[in-house]
Structures are given as structure tokens and as C-alpha cells.
Amino acid sequence: MIRIAIANQKGGVGKTTTAINLATALAATGWRVLLVDFDPQGNASTGLGVGQAARGRSSYELLRHDCTVEEAVIATQVPRLDLIPATQDLTGAEIELIDVEKRTHRLHHALEQQEDRWDVCLIDCPPSLGLLTVNALVAANMLLVPLQCEFFALEGLTQLLQTIERVRARFNPQLAILGVALTMYDRRNRLSEQVAADVRDVLGDVVFETVIPRNVRLSEAPSHGVPALIYDHRCPGSEAYIGLARECIARLTRKAQAA
């Protein structure tokens, strides 16, 4: 099972929107997809129509090893897309696990028991570089970074890349960067164009060709409890995530062939 952490310590860059819609697009192509909501806000769960009452077991219990993946997983309304929901209990996990041995590997050990059921696992990380995000980076084979097209984007990316190098050195030398996805791109704003150009100059081919635009339908979809690809599959945001999914599949295929 390929495991992809979707991470950026900055909030409001489109991590959860990317997680939901990329998972939906991959499922639509026939992949069996598991989405792990690892953010205490639980927005990925809400965005897939899973309310608080339906979150019996969650990523919190999974992290504590109080349940298995099988016991926590919920089938969503999207065919071939399953979810491990999140609750606010995750907020206290960092303190509760502070004295636990190998606390950085808790998610990895939980997920490795389910290697065959799904083709790919996406992990929606919280907007921080704490224990939850480190757990996701240790558990993942790949990292996808949503990067908002705004002035401070590269500054935040530098901090994230430094954390990735520390995780590689200490815990997970196999962690590779799948790509950087430019999000919230506004074609009417010259700043978006300049930031996108600067990011491509610095990172080159690591940056996906597909750019996710600012799109009202992407913002509306979570309030209806469905991914944008179901809410309005013809809107520019949905079409962009379909393009991003194609690029992800192509990159994963190339990496598999090269291995």
C-alpha cells in the first residue's frame, strides 16, 4: 500500500481540500483508497459527510493502539474510498504519548497491518510540525505538499523541508517527496503568478504542472458533505484535481518502475 502524507505546517493552504478531492479522483480511476483524517479539527471527515455521531472509533484510538484499522474504518458515499475519521481527542495525543516508547511510529505500526486491502492511503495532517505530523511522515512513503500561491509560501516550505530531512535522518530514510501542488491560484492576481514562477524556479520538476485555482465550488462542497468532484465535477477546481490525480498516478508509476 502506498502511503502519502499531505502536509504543510501553515494553515489554510488547501491540505484537506486536496486530501478529499485527490482521494475521490483516485477512487474514480479504480484505486482502492483509504483516507486517514489526522487533524483534530476533523474537516476531512466532515467534508466526506461523516458527522460526529458516526465517528465511533477514530484516528485517536488508532494512534493509541486502542483499536485496529478495521475497527476504525468507515465506508464513505464515494465508491472505493474509505475513511478513518478524526475527533478533537487527537488534540491531547501529543501529551498522552509523551512517555510512550517509539511514539513517532504509532501510526506506522497501525497501518502496516493492512497492506493489502487498499492500493493507496492518504494522510491529512494538521497544520503543525508536532507529533501528529511526524507520525504521518514516519508512516508515509511519499509526501505531497499543498502550497498556497502567496508571499510567505517559500518561507514556510523551507521549514517543512528541514523537518522532512530530520525525519529521514532519524526515522524514515525511505520518505520521498511526491510533489508540491500549487493551490489557491488566482489568475487575476499578479502575485499568484509571481509566486508560482518563483516556486518553479527553486524546486523545478518537484512542482506539479497542475495548478489548483481559487474556486467557489471547492469552498462550497464541504458544507454539503461531499467532495467537489461530486458536488460539481465540471467546475475548474474539480477538473484541476482530476489533472492532479493523473500526475500523481504517473509519478507513482514511474517510481514503481524505477524501484
Side-chain angles (χ1 to χ4, degrees):
M1 178 172 67
I2 302 166
R3 303 176 196 158
I4 303 172
I6 300 176
N8 189 325
Q9 80 276 14
K10 288 177 66 65
V13 301
K15 285 188 300 295
T16 299
T17 300
T18 297
I20 291 172
N21 289 290
L22 181 58
T24 302
L26 290 172
T29 67
W31 287 43
R32 298 168 300 166
V33 183
L34 173 65
L35 175 57
V36 179
D37 189 348
F38 218 47
D39 186 344
Q41 297 176 84
N43 290 336
S45 305
T46 303
L48 285 169
V50 178
Q52 294 289 340
R55 304 176 198 180
R57 298 279 191 164
S58 69
S59 51
Y60 169 72
E61 283 83 10
L62 190 68
L63 189 65
R64 285 174 49 90
H65 292 181
D66 290 339
C67 74
T68 64
V69 171
E70 288 281 358
E71 292 170 331
V73 73
I74 297 172
T76 71
Q77 57 192 312
V78 180
R80 293 179 296 277
L81 173 55
D82 295 324
L83 170 74
I84 295 179
T87 64
Q88 290 184 348
D89 292 336
L90 264 179
T91 305
E94 296 198 25
I95 297 174
E96 292 177 29
L97 297 176
I98 194 167
D99 294 323
V100 174
E101 186 178 358
K102 290 190 175 181
R103 62 184 181 274
T104 56
H105 289 67
R106 305 285 288 187
L107 183 61
H108 170 76
H109 292 322
L111 291 177
E112 70 178 353
Q113 306 301 319
Q114 291 291 336
E115 284 296 315
D116 299 327
R117 180 171 171 183
W118 295 279
D119 300 309
V120 62
C121 170
L122 303 182
I123 308 169
D124 183 28
C125 298
S128 72
L129 293 177
L131 181 61
L132 295 179
T133 297
V134 171
N135 256 271
L137 295 178
V138 171
N141 317 113
M142 304 279 181
L143 172 67
L144 191 156
V145 183
L147 193 68
Q148 185 180 2
C149 292
E150 55 114 53
F151 183 71
F152 294 112
L154 283 176
E155 181 178 295
L157 182 62
T158 300
Q159 186 179 358
L160 177 62
L161 293 177
Q162 290 171 348
T163 299
I164 293 166
E165 289 306 316
R166 287 195 291 268
V167 170
R168 278 178 177 156
R170 294 187 59 189
F171 306 120
N172 184 7
Q174 306 304 318
L175 181 63
I177 298 178
L178 179 61
V180 173
L182 297 174
T183 62
M184 301 183 181
Y185 184 85
D186 187 347
R187 298 184 187 280
R188 301 167 299 177
N189 188 338
R190 292 191 62 183
L191 178 60
S192 288
E193 184 178 342
Q194 185 60 55
V195 169
D198 290 346
V199 172
R200 292 190 190 280
D201 285 343
V202 173
L203 299 177
D205 292 341
V206 173
V207 184
F208 289 106
E209 288 296 324
T210 303
V211 175
I212 310 301
R214 283 193 179 275
N215 183 234
V216 173
R217 306 300 265 179
L218 286 179
S219 303
E220 290 176 350
S223 66
H224 295 271
V226 294
L229 272 74
I230 293 177
Y231 182 63
D232 184 353
H233 70 278
R234 294 181 178 176
C235 73
S238 293
E239 291 178 348
Y241 276 114
I242 292 170
L244 180 62
R246 290 196 190 102
E247 283 197 71
C248 285
I249 291 171
R251 291 190 181 194
L252 290 170
T253 300
R254 287 197 297 269
K255 289 180 183 293
Q257 291 172 344

